[in-house]
Short mmCIF file of all heavy atoms in Angstrom, two decimals:
data_model
loop_
_atom_site.label_atom_id
_atom_site.label_comp_id
_atom_site.label_asym_id
_atom_site.label_seq_id
_atom_site.Cartn_x
_atom_site.Cartn_y
_atom_site.Cartn_z
N MET A 1 -109.65 10.91 26.52
CA MET A 1 -109.45 11.26 25.15
C MET A 1 -109.24 10.06 24.31
O MET A 1 -108.64 9.01 24.82
CB MET A 1 -108.18 12.19 24.97
CG MET A 1 -108.43 13.54 25.46
SD MET A 1 -107.50 14.75 24.60
CE MET A 1 -105.89 14.66 25.28
N ALA A 2 -109.58 10.10 23.01
CA ALA A 2 -109.46 9.01 22.13
C ALA A 2 -108.02 8.91 21.75
O ALA A 2 -107.33 9.87 21.55
CB ALA A 2 -110.32 9.17 20.92
N LYS A 3 -107.54 7.63 21.52
CA LYS A 3 -106.22 7.38 21.11
C LYS A 3 -106.12 7.46 19.53
O LYS A 3 -106.90 6.78 18.87
CB LYS A 3 -105.87 5.98 21.55
CG LYS A 3 -104.40 5.77 21.64
CD LYS A 3 -104.11 4.35 22.16
CE LYS A 3 -102.71 4.22 22.65
NZ LYS A 3 -102.39 2.91 23.10
N SER A 4 -105.24 8.32 19.10
CA SER A 4 -105.10 8.50 17.65
C SER A 4 -104.18 7.45 17.04
O SER A 4 -103.23 6.98 17.78
CB SER A 4 -104.62 9.88 17.30
OG SER A 4 -103.29 10.09 17.77
N LYS A 5 -104.24 7.14 15.78
CA LYS A 5 -103.38 6.22 15.16
C LYS A 5 -102.00 6.94 14.80
O LYS A 5 -102.15 8.09 14.39
CB LYS A 5 -103.93 5.66 13.94
CG LYS A 5 -104.96 4.60 14.11
CD LYS A 5 -105.20 3.83 12.88
CE LYS A 5 -106.08 2.61 13.23
NZ LYS A 5 -106.19 1.66 12.18
N ASP A 6 -100.97 6.30 15.05
CA ASP A 6 -99.63 6.93 14.80
C ASP A 6 -99.51 6.96 13.32
O ASP A 6 -99.80 6.06 12.52
CB ASP A 6 -98.50 6.09 15.41
CG ASP A 6 -98.56 6.11 16.94
OD1 ASP A 6 -99.05 7.13 17.47
OD2 ASP A 6 -98.13 5.19 17.50
N VAL A 7 -98.93 8.11 12.81
CA VAL A 7 -98.58 8.25 11.43
C VAL A 7 -97.35 7.50 11.02
O VAL A 7 -97.27 6.82 10.08
CB VAL A 7 -98.44 9.78 11.10
CG1 VAL A 7 -98.02 9.94 9.65
CG2 VAL A 7 -99.73 10.46 11.35
N ARG A 8 -96.36 7.58 11.95
CA ARG A 8 -95.11 6.88 11.74
C ARG A 8 -95.13 5.53 12.51
O ARG A 8 -95.31 5.56 13.75
CB ARG A 8 -94.01 7.75 12.21
CG ARG A 8 -92.60 7.21 11.87
CD ARG A 8 -91.58 8.26 11.79
NE ARG A 8 -91.68 9.13 10.59
CZ ARG A 8 -91.16 8.86 9.38
NH1 ARG A 8 -90.58 7.74 9.23
NH2 ARG A 8 -91.35 9.67 8.40
N VAL A 9 -95.01 4.44 11.81
CA VAL A 9 -95.08 3.12 12.37
C VAL A 9 -93.76 2.35 12.19
O VAL A 9 -93.04 2.54 11.28
CB VAL A 9 -96.21 2.32 11.78
CG1 VAL A 9 -97.54 2.87 12.17
CG2 VAL A 9 -96.11 2.18 10.29
N THR A 10 -93.50 1.41 13.16
CA THR A 10 -92.29 0.58 13.01
C THR A 10 -92.62 -0.67 12.23
O THR A 10 -93.64 -1.25 12.44
CB THR A 10 -91.88 0.13 14.44
OG1 THR A 10 -91.58 1.32 15.22
CG2 THR A 10 -90.60 -0.63 14.40
N ILE A 11 -91.77 -0.95 11.24
CA ILE A 11 -91.99 -2.20 10.39
C ILE A 11 -90.77 -3.04 10.38
O ILE A 11 -89.68 -2.58 10.78
CB ILE A 11 -92.34 -1.70 8.95
CG1 ILE A 11 -91.20 -0.86 8.41
CG2 ILE A 11 -93.60 -0.96 8.86
CD1 ILE A 11 -91.31 -0.71 6.86
N ILE A 12 -90.92 -4.25 9.88
CA ILE A 12 -89.82 -5.20 9.74
C ILE A 12 -89.64 -5.47 8.25
O ILE A 12 -90.57 -5.82 7.57
CB ILE A 12 -90.08 -6.51 10.57
CG1 ILE A 12 -90.27 -6.15 12.01
CG2 ILE A 12 -89.01 -7.46 10.32
CD1 ILE A 12 -90.76 -7.33 12.92
N LEU A 13 -88.40 -5.44 7.74
CA LEU A 13 -88.02 -5.75 6.34
C LEU A 13 -87.37 -7.11 6.40
O LEU A 13 -86.41 -7.29 7.19
CB LEU A 13 -87.16 -4.65 5.74
CG LEU A 13 -87.75 -3.25 5.67
CD1 LEU A 13 -86.72 -2.29 5.22
CD2 LEU A 13 -88.95 -3.20 4.74
N GLU A 14 -87.78 -7.99 5.55
CA GLU A 14 -87.24 -9.36 5.50
C GLU A 14 -86.70 -9.66 4.10
O GLU A 14 -87.31 -9.30 3.09
CB GLU A 14 -88.29 -10.40 5.84
CG GLU A 14 -87.77 -11.75 6.00
CD GLU A 14 -88.84 -12.72 6.51
OE1 GLU A 14 -89.72 -13.06 5.70
OE2 GLU A 14 -88.83 -13.03 7.69
N CYS A 15 -85.59 -10.26 4.01
CA CYS A 15 -84.93 -10.64 2.69
C CYS A 15 -85.81 -11.60 1.93
O CYS A 15 -86.30 -12.62 2.37
CB CYS A 15 -83.59 -11.27 2.97
SG CYS A 15 -82.72 -11.80 1.48
N THR A 16 -86.10 -11.27 0.62
CA THR A 16 -86.92 -12.14 -0.19
C THR A 16 -86.22 -13.40 -0.73
O THR A 16 -86.80 -14.39 -0.93
CB THR A 16 -87.53 -11.28 -1.36
OG1 THR A 16 -86.41 -10.77 -2.09
CG2 THR A 16 -88.45 -10.22 -0.89
N SER A 17 -84.94 -13.28 -0.99
CA SER A 17 -84.19 -14.38 -1.60
C SER A 17 -83.94 -15.47 -0.55
O SER A 17 -84.01 -16.67 -0.85
CB SER A 17 -82.89 -13.93 -2.24
OG SER A 17 -82.03 -13.44 -1.26
N CYS A 18 -83.78 -15.15 0.72
CA CYS A 18 -83.58 -16.11 1.75
C CYS A 18 -84.90 -16.87 2.00
O CYS A 18 -84.90 -18.12 2.15
CB CYS A 18 -83.17 -15.50 3.09
SG CYS A 18 -81.50 -14.91 3.10
N VAL A 19 -86.02 -16.10 2.00
CA VAL A 19 -87.29 -16.76 2.21
C VAL A 19 -87.69 -17.68 1.12
O VAL A 19 -88.21 -18.77 1.26
CB VAL A 19 -88.33 -15.69 2.50
CG1 VAL A 19 -89.70 -16.30 2.59
CG2 VAL A 19 -88.03 -14.85 3.78
N ARG A 20 -87.45 -17.16 -0.16
CA ARG A 20 -87.93 -17.85 -1.37
C ARG A 20 -87.16 -19.22 -1.52
O ARG A 20 -87.66 -20.18 -1.81
CB ARG A 20 -87.76 -17.00 -2.53
CG ARG A 20 -88.44 -17.48 -3.74
CD ARG A 20 -88.44 -16.59 -4.95
NE ARG A 20 -88.24 -15.21 -4.59
CZ ARG A 20 -87.40 -14.42 -5.13
NH1 ARG A 20 -86.56 -14.83 -6.05
NH2 ARG A 20 -87.36 -13.12 -4.80
N ASN A 21 -85.87 -19.15 -1.29
CA ASN A 21 -84.97 -20.36 -1.53
C ASN A 21 -84.96 -21.17 -0.28
O ASN A 21 -84.29 -22.22 -0.33
CB ASN A 21 -83.55 -19.90 -1.88
CG ASN A 21 -83.55 -19.16 -3.18
OD1 ASN A 21 -84.42 -19.31 -4.03
ND2 ASN A 21 -82.53 -18.27 -3.35
N GLY A 22 -85.62 -20.81 0.79
CA GLY A 22 -85.48 -21.48 2.04
C GLY A 22 -84.05 -21.03 2.54
O GLY A 22 -83.37 -20.23 1.93
N VAL A 23 -83.65 -21.41 3.67
CA VAL A 23 -82.37 -20.99 4.24
C VAL A 23 -81.34 -22.02 3.65
O VAL A 23 -81.52 -23.23 3.72
CB VAL A 23 -82.47 -21.10 5.77
CG1 VAL A 23 -81.08 -20.66 6.37
CG2 VAL A 23 -83.55 -20.17 6.33
N ASN A 24 -80.28 -21.39 3.18
CA ASN A 24 -79.18 -22.22 2.59
C ASN A 24 -78.57 -23.07 3.72
O ASN A 24 -78.62 -22.71 4.86
CB ASN A 24 -78.17 -21.42 1.86
CG ASN A 24 -78.74 -20.57 0.78
OD1 ASN A 24 -79.78 -20.97 0.16
ND2 ASN A 24 -78.14 -19.48 0.43
N LYS A 25 -77.93 -24.14 3.34
CA LYS A 25 -77.32 -24.99 4.28
C LYS A 25 -76.09 -24.26 4.98
O LYS A 25 -75.86 -24.46 6.20
CB LYS A 25 -76.75 -26.26 3.66
CG LYS A 25 -77.91 -27.13 3.22
CD LYS A 25 -77.37 -28.31 2.42
CE LYS A 25 -78.64 -29.21 1.92
NZ LYS A 25 -78.19 -30.13 0.96
N GLU A 26 -75.38 -23.43 4.25
CA GLU A 26 -74.25 -22.77 4.81
C GLU A 26 -74.71 -21.44 5.61
O GLU A 26 -73.94 -21.01 6.47
CB GLU A 26 -73.27 -22.36 3.71
CG GLU A 26 -73.79 -21.38 2.66
CD GLU A 26 -74.33 -22.15 1.46
OE1 GLU A 26 -74.33 -23.40 1.45
OE2 GLU A 26 -74.83 -21.51 0.58
N SER A 27 -75.85 -20.92 5.38
CA SER A 27 -76.29 -19.76 6.15
C SER A 27 -77.11 -20.16 7.38
O SER A 27 -77.61 -21.26 7.45
CB SER A 27 -77.22 -18.86 5.23
OG SER A 27 -78.43 -19.56 5.03
N THR A 28 -77.10 -19.26 8.39
CA THR A 28 -77.68 -19.62 9.61
C THR A 28 -78.99 -18.95 9.86
O THR A 28 -79.55 -19.17 10.99
CB THR A 28 -76.69 -19.21 10.70
OG1 THR A 28 -76.42 -17.76 10.61
CG2 THR A 28 -75.35 -19.89 10.70
N GLY A 29 -79.57 -18.12 9.02
CA GLY A 29 -80.78 -17.51 9.26
C GLY A 29 -81.36 -16.66 8.12
O GLY A 29 -80.92 -16.80 6.98
N ILE A 30 -82.37 -15.83 8.44
CA ILE A 30 -82.95 -14.95 7.49
C ILE A 30 -82.69 -13.51 7.92
O ILE A 30 -82.81 -13.12 9.08
CB ILE A 30 -84.49 -15.16 7.41
CG1 ILE A 30 -84.72 -16.54 6.95
CG2 ILE A 30 -85.09 -14.17 6.45
CD1 ILE A 30 -86.16 -17.01 7.01
N SER A 31 -82.23 -12.70 6.97
CA SER A 31 -81.92 -11.25 7.26
C SER A 31 -83.17 -10.47 7.47
O SER A 31 -84.14 -10.45 6.70
CB SER A 31 -81.08 -10.70 6.03
OG SER A 31 -80.94 -9.31 6.26
N ARG A 32 -83.18 -9.71 8.61
CA ARG A 32 -84.33 -8.78 8.88
C ARG A 32 -83.79 -7.49 9.37
O ARG A 32 -82.81 -7.42 10.11
CB ARG A 32 -85.20 -9.39 10.04
CG ARG A 32 -85.92 -10.54 9.48
CD ARG A 32 -87.02 -11.01 10.46
NE ARG A 32 -87.84 -12.06 9.91
CZ ARG A 32 -88.53 -12.91 10.60
NH1 ARG A 32 -88.42 -12.97 11.91
NH2 ARG A 32 -89.21 -13.87 10.03
N TYR A 33 -84.42 -6.37 8.94
CA TYR A 33 -84.12 -5.05 9.36
C TYR A 33 -85.37 -4.41 9.98
O TYR A 33 -86.45 -4.67 9.55
CB TYR A 33 -83.71 -4.18 8.14
CG TYR A 33 -82.25 -4.45 7.67
CD1 TYR A 33 -82.12 -5.30 6.55
CD2 TYR A 33 -81.21 -3.76 8.18
CE1 TYR A 33 -80.82 -5.58 6.09
CE2 TYR A 33 -79.97 -4.07 7.68
CZ TYR A 33 -79.78 -4.94 6.66
OH TYR A 33 -78.52 -5.16 6.07
N ILE A 34 -85.18 -3.62 10.98
CA ILE A 34 -86.27 -2.83 11.63
C ILE A 34 -86.06 -1.42 11.27
O ILE A 34 -85.02 -0.80 11.37
CB ILE A 34 -86.29 -3.03 13.19
CG1 ILE A 34 -86.43 -4.49 13.45
CG2 ILE A 34 -87.30 -2.17 13.77
CD1 ILE A 34 -86.37 -4.75 14.94
N THR A 35 -87.16 -0.75 10.78
CA THR A 35 -87.20 0.62 10.37
C THR A 35 -88.56 1.20 10.55
O THR A 35 -89.45 0.54 11.11
CB THR A 35 -86.65 0.77 8.90
OG1 THR A 35 -86.54 2.14 8.59
CG2 THR A 35 -87.69 0.15 7.93
N GLN A 36 -88.71 2.45 10.20
CA GLN A 36 -89.97 3.22 10.34
C GLN A 36 -90.39 3.68 9.01
O GLN A 36 -89.61 3.94 8.12
CB GLN A 36 -89.90 4.36 11.36
CG GLN A 36 -89.58 3.92 12.73
CD GLN A 36 -89.56 5.13 13.68
OE1 GLN A 36 -89.43 6.22 13.25
NE2 GLN A 36 -89.78 4.82 14.93
N LYS A 37 -91.74 3.83 8.80
CA LYS A 37 -92.25 4.42 7.58
C LYS A 37 -93.48 5.32 7.97
O LYS A 37 -94.15 5.18 9.00
CB LYS A 37 -92.72 3.40 6.62
CG LYS A 37 -93.98 2.73 6.83
CD LYS A 37 -94.46 1.87 5.68
CE LYS A 37 -95.79 1.33 5.93
NZ LYS A 37 -96.36 0.60 4.77
N ASN A 38 -93.70 6.31 7.13
CA ASN A 38 -94.79 7.18 7.29
C ASN A 38 -95.99 6.56 6.60
O ASN A 38 -96.00 6.33 5.35
CB ASN A 38 -94.54 8.53 6.60
CG ASN A 38 -95.51 9.65 6.99
OD1 ASN A 38 -96.71 9.31 7.03
ND2 ASN A 38 -95.07 10.85 7.23
N ARG A 39 -97.07 6.32 7.35
CA ARG A 39 -98.26 5.62 6.83
C ARG A 39 -99.00 6.44 5.71
O ARG A 39 -99.57 5.81 4.82
CB ARG A 39 -99.20 5.32 7.91
CG ARG A 39 -100.23 4.26 7.59
CD ARG A 39 -101.12 4.01 8.76
NE ARG A 39 -100.33 3.18 9.76
CZ ARG A 39 -100.82 2.90 11.02
NH1 ARG A 39 -101.97 3.42 11.31
NH2 ARG A 39 -100.17 2.27 11.90
N HIS A 40 -98.93 7.78 5.81
CA HIS A 40 -99.63 8.60 4.83
C HIS A 40 -98.88 8.70 3.52
O HIS A 40 -99.49 8.64 2.45
CB HIS A 40 -99.77 10.04 5.42
CG HIS A 40 -100.77 10.10 6.54
ND1 HIS A 40 -102.07 9.67 6.43
CD2 HIS A 40 -100.59 10.53 7.81
CE1 HIS A 40 -102.67 9.84 7.67
NE2 HIS A 40 -101.80 10.39 8.42
N ASN A 41 -97.54 8.73 3.53
CA ASN A 41 -96.77 8.76 2.38
C ASN A 41 -96.61 7.44 1.57
O ASN A 41 -96.65 7.44 0.38
CB ASN A 41 -95.33 9.30 2.66
CG ASN A 41 -95.38 10.70 3.13
OD1 ASN A 41 -96.36 11.48 2.86
ND2 ASN A 41 -94.32 11.17 3.76
N THR A 42 -96.55 6.35 2.37
CA THR A 42 -96.34 5.03 1.73
C THR A 42 -97.44 4.03 2.32
O THR A 42 -97.09 3.27 3.20
CB THR A 42 -94.98 4.46 1.88
OG1 THR A 42 -94.67 4.53 3.31
CG2 THR A 42 -93.96 5.20 1.11
N PRO A 43 -98.65 4.04 1.89
CA PRO A 43 -99.65 3.15 2.40
C PRO A 43 -99.40 1.69 1.99
O PRO A 43 -99.85 0.81 2.75
CB PRO A 43 -100.97 3.73 1.85
CG PRO A 43 -100.58 4.40 0.64
CD PRO A 43 -99.17 4.96 0.88
N SER A 44 -98.73 1.48 0.90
CA SER A 44 -98.49 0.07 0.41
C SER A 44 -97.30 -0.50 1.17
O SER A 44 -96.60 0.22 1.82
CB SER A 44 -98.30 0.03 -1.07
OG SER A 44 -97.21 0.84 -1.38
N ARG A 45 -97.02 -1.78 0.91
CA ARG A 45 -95.86 -2.44 1.49
C ARG A 45 -94.59 -1.84 1.04
O ARG A 45 -94.41 -1.59 -0.19
CB ARG A 45 -95.91 -3.98 1.17
CG ARG A 45 -97.06 -4.75 1.78
CD ARG A 45 -96.68 -5.24 3.12
NE ARG A 45 -97.76 -5.79 3.77
CZ ARG A 45 -97.81 -7.13 4.10
NH1 ARG A 45 -96.90 -7.95 3.67
NH2 ARG A 45 -98.88 -7.51 4.73
N LEU A 46 -93.60 -1.68 1.88
CA LEU A 46 -92.34 -1.03 1.53
C LEU A 46 -91.41 -2.06 0.98
O LEU A 46 -91.22 -3.22 1.54
CB LEU A 46 -91.84 -0.29 2.82
CG LEU A 46 -90.62 0.53 2.58
CD1 LEU A 46 -90.84 1.70 1.67
CD2 LEU A 46 -90.08 1.02 3.94
N GLU A 47 -90.59 -1.76 -0.04
CA GLU A 47 -89.56 -2.62 -0.61
C GLU A 47 -88.30 -1.76 -0.70
O GLU A 47 -88.25 -0.73 -1.34
CB GLU A 47 -89.90 -3.11 -1.88
CG GLU A 47 -90.89 -4.27 -1.95
CD GLU A 47 -91.13 -4.79 -3.34
OE1 GLU A 47 -90.37 -4.40 -4.29
OE2 GLU A 47 -91.97 -5.68 -3.53
N LEU A 48 -87.21 -2.27 -0.11
CA LEU A 48 -85.90 -1.58 -0.16
C LEU A 48 -84.84 -2.56 -0.45
O LEU A 48 -84.88 -3.71 -0.08
CB LEU A 48 -85.56 -0.88 1.21
CG LEU A 48 -86.45 0.26 1.61
CD1 LEU A 48 -86.02 0.69 3.05
CD2 LEU A 48 -86.32 1.41 0.72
N LYS A 49 -83.81 -2.12 -1.26
CA LYS A 49 -82.70 -2.94 -1.55
C LYS A 49 -81.67 -2.77 -0.49
O LYS A 49 -81.11 -1.65 -0.24
CB LYS A 49 -82.11 -2.60 -2.87
CG LYS A 49 -81.36 -3.64 -3.54
CD LYS A 49 -81.16 -3.45 -5.04
CE LYS A 49 -80.59 -4.59 -5.64
NZ LYS A 49 -80.21 -4.36 -6.98
N LYS A 50 -81.34 -3.82 0.35
CA LYS A 50 -80.44 -3.81 1.44
C LYS A 50 -79.54 -4.90 1.45
O LYS A 50 -79.78 -5.92 0.70
CB LYS A 50 -81.16 -3.73 2.78
CG LYS A 50 -82.10 -2.53 2.90
CD LYS A 50 -82.70 -2.33 4.26
CE LYS A 50 -81.80 -1.72 5.26
NZ LYS A 50 -81.25 -0.37 5.00
N PHE A 51 -78.43 -4.93 2.19
CA PHE A 51 -77.41 -5.96 2.18
C PHE A 51 -77.93 -7.09 3.08
O PHE A 51 -78.32 -6.87 4.19
CB PHE A 51 -76.07 -5.42 2.72
CG PHE A 51 -75.00 -6.50 2.71
CD1 PHE A 51 -74.38 -6.88 1.56
CD2 PHE A 51 -74.67 -7.08 3.89
CE1 PHE A 51 -73.46 -7.87 1.59
CE2 PHE A 51 -73.70 -8.11 3.92
CZ PHE A 51 -73.07 -8.50 2.66
N CYS A 52 -77.81 -8.31 2.52
CA CYS A 52 -78.16 -9.51 3.29
C CYS A 52 -76.84 -10.25 3.69
O CYS A 52 -76.13 -10.68 2.83
CB CYS A 52 -79.03 -10.45 2.46
SG CYS A 52 -79.41 -11.92 3.27
N PRO A 53 -76.55 -10.32 4.98
CA PRO A 53 -75.29 -10.95 5.40
C PRO A 53 -75.29 -12.43 5.20
O PRO A 53 -74.28 -13.09 5.16
CB PRO A 53 -75.19 -10.64 6.86
CG PRO A 53 -76.60 -10.30 7.34
CD PRO A 53 -77.24 -9.74 6.12
N TYR A 54 -76.52 -13.07 5.00
CA TYR A 54 -76.58 -14.54 4.74
C TYR A 54 -76.38 -14.89 3.30
O TYR A 54 -75.87 -15.90 2.92
CB TYR A 54 -77.86 -15.05 5.21
CG TYR A 54 -78.07 -14.81 6.74
CD1 TYR A 54 -79.00 -13.77 7.18
CD2 TYR A 54 -77.28 -15.37 7.74
CE1 TYR A 54 -79.13 -13.53 8.53
CE2 TYR A 54 -77.40 -15.12 9.10
CZ TYR A 54 -78.38 -14.18 9.44
OH TYR A 54 -78.48 -13.89 10.76
N CYS A 55 -76.89 -13.97 2.32
CA CYS A 55 -76.65 -14.19 0.92
C CYS A 55 -75.36 -13.56 0.43
O CYS A 55 -74.89 -13.79 -0.71
CB CYS A 55 -77.81 -13.54 0.19
SG CYS A 55 -79.45 -14.20 0.56
N TYR A 56 -74.72 -12.70 1.23
CA TYR A 56 -73.55 -11.97 0.84
C TYR A 56 -73.69 -11.09 -0.39
O TYR A 56 -72.78 -11.00 -1.19
CB TYR A 56 -72.34 -12.94 0.67
CG TYR A 56 -72.05 -13.76 1.89
CD1 TYR A 56 -72.32 -15.12 1.92
CD2 TYR A 56 -71.41 -13.18 2.99
CE1 TYR A 56 -72.08 -15.91 3.01
CE2 TYR A 56 -71.18 -13.89 4.12
CZ TYR A 56 -71.43 -15.36 4.11
OH TYR A 56 -71.23 -16.09 5.15
N LYS A 57 -74.93 -10.44 -0.47
CA LYS A 57 -75.17 -9.56 -1.56
C LYS A 57 -76.32 -8.62 -1.23
O LYS A 57 -77.01 -8.86 -0.32
CB LYS A 57 -75.41 -10.26 -2.87
CG LYS A 57 -76.55 -11.21 -2.86
CD LYS A 57 -76.65 -12.02 -4.15
CE LYS A 57 -77.74 -13.03 -4.09
NZ LYS A 57 -77.85 -13.85 -5.28
N HIS A 58 -76.51 -7.65 -2.06
CA HIS A 58 -77.68 -6.68 -1.89
C HIS A 58 -78.85 -7.38 -2.55
O HIS A 58 -78.85 -7.80 -3.69
CB HIS A 58 -77.39 -5.40 -2.55
CG HIS A 58 -76.47 -4.54 -1.77
ND1 HIS A 58 -75.09 -4.56 -1.81
CD2 HIS A 58 -76.74 -3.52 -0.85
CE1 HIS A 58 -74.59 -3.75 -1.04
NE2 HIS A 58 -75.54 -3.11 -0.34
N THR A 59 -79.94 -7.48 -1.75
CA THR A 59 -81.19 -8.05 -2.23
C THR A 59 -82.41 -7.26 -1.84
O THR A 59 -82.23 -6.30 -1.01
CB THR A 59 -81.40 -9.50 -1.58
OG1 THR A 59 -81.43 -9.39 -0.14
CG2 THR A 59 -80.27 -10.43 -2.01
N ILE A 60 -83.53 -7.50 -2.36
CA ILE A 60 -84.74 -6.76 -2.08
C ILE A 60 -85.27 -7.31 -0.77
O ILE A 60 -85.44 -8.51 -0.56
CB ILE A 60 -85.79 -6.92 -3.18
CG1 ILE A 60 -85.33 -6.22 -4.44
CG2 ILE A 60 -87.14 -6.30 -2.77
CD1 ILE A 60 -86.22 -6.56 -5.65
N HIS A 61 -85.57 -6.36 0.17
CA HIS A 61 -86.16 -6.69 1.46
C HIS A 61 -87.60 -6.09 1.49
O HIS A 61 -87.75 -4.94 1.15
CB HIS A 61 -85.38 -6.08 2.67
CG HIS A 61 -84.08 -6.81 2.90
ND1 HIS A 61 -83.04 -6.91 2.02
CD2 HIS A 61 -83.73 -7.54 3.99
CE1 HIS A 61 -82.10 -7.60 2.56
NE2 HIS A 61 -82.43 -7.98 3.79
N ARG A 62 -88.62 -6.94 1.88
CA ARG A 62 -89.98 -6.47 1.80
C ARG A 62 -90.49 -6.44 3.20
O ARG A 62 -90.07 -7.13 4.15
CB ARG A 62 -90.83 -7.48 1.01
CG ARG A 62 -90.67 -7.35 -0.46
CD ARG A 62 -91.82 -7.98 -1.28
NE ARG A 62 -91.53 -7.88 -2.60
CZ ARG A 62 -91.16 -8.92 -3.41
NH1 ARG A 62 -91.09 -10.12 -2.88
NH2 ARG A 62 -90.97 -8.66 -4.66
N GLU A 63 -91.51 -5.54 3.38
CA GLU A 63 -92.22 -5.38 4.65
C GLU A 63 -93.00 -6.60 4.93
O GLU A 63 -93.63 -7.14 4.06
CB GLU A 63 -93.08 -4.15 4.57
CG GLU A 63 -93.82 -3.91 5.84
CD GLU A 63 -94.76 -2.68 5.68
OE1 GLU A 63 -94.54 -1.85 4.76
OE2 GLU A 63 -95.66 -2.58 6.55
N ILE A 64 -92.99 -7.06 6.23
CA ILE A 64 -93.72 -8.25 6.60
C ILE A 64 -94.64 -7.89 7.72
O ILE A 64 -94.45 -6.82 8.37
CB ILE A 64 -92.79 -9.44 7.05
CG1 ILE A 64 -91.95 -9.02 8.29
CG2 ILE A 64 -92.02 -9.94 5.88
CD1 ILE A 64 -91.26 -10.17 8.96
N LYS A 65 -95.60 -8.73 8.06
CA LYS A 65 -96.50 -8.52 9.15
C LYS A 65 -95.82 -8.88 10.47
O LYS A 65 -94.97 -9.67 10.43
CB LYS A 65 -97.76 -9.40 9.06
CG LYS A 65 -98.68 -8.96 8.03
CD LYS A 65 -99.95 -9.77 8.06
CE LYS A 65 -101.04 -9.34 7.15
NZ LYS A 65 -102.26 -10.11 7.15
N LYS A 66 -96.19 -8.21 11.56
CA LYS A 66 -95.59 -8.49 12.82
C LYS A 66 -96.21 -9.66 13.48
O LYS A 66 -97.33 -9.98 13.29
CB LYS A 66 -95.76 -7.25 13.79
CG LYS A 66 -94.94 -6.11 13.31
CD LYS A 66 -95.09 -4.99 14.38
CE LYS A 66 -94.28 -3.83 13.89
NZ LYS A 66 -94.33 -2.69 14.74
#
């Protein structure tokens, strides 16, 4: 049988302010979250506002390629 494409896929969300500013000297990395999305409902890149422990505030996290 042919393998069908999964409707629900696992994605990685990465903090935009950590990436844009580079990593601050006092922070140790870049915030990343792993979640799932439905490919049929949201075909474009996902953006969510989540807490970044390195920036110590809520920032926009965007979907990145694996």
Side-chain angles (χ1 to χ4, degrees):
M1 285 213 281
K3 201 176 194 182
S4 65
K5 286 199 170 192
D6 294 332
V7 175
R8 190 158 284 279
V9 293
T10 303
I11 59 167
I12 299 172
L13 299 173
E14 188 175 76
C15 179
T16 56
S17 64
C18 287
V19 174
R20 192 174 334 131
N21 297 334
V23 180
N24 298 336
K25 291 175 184 166
E26 59 270 358
S27 69
T28 57
I30 296 172
S31 173
R32 288 189 175 157
Y33 285 94
I34 298 174
T35 187
Q36 293 183 341
K37 78 170 186 177
N38 189 322
R39 197 178 287 170
H40 292 303
N41 293 342
T42 52
S44 61
R45 293 269 172 114
L46 189 65
E47 285 186 4
L48 293 174
K49 204 164 188 187
K50 300 190 79 59
F51 181 76
C52 178
Y54 303 108
C55 299
Y56 300 108
K57 58 185 175 182
H58 284 84
T59 58
I60 295 174
H61 284 65
R62 284 199 184 107
E63 179 182 342
I64 60 169
K65 287 186 176 181
K66 290 185 183 179

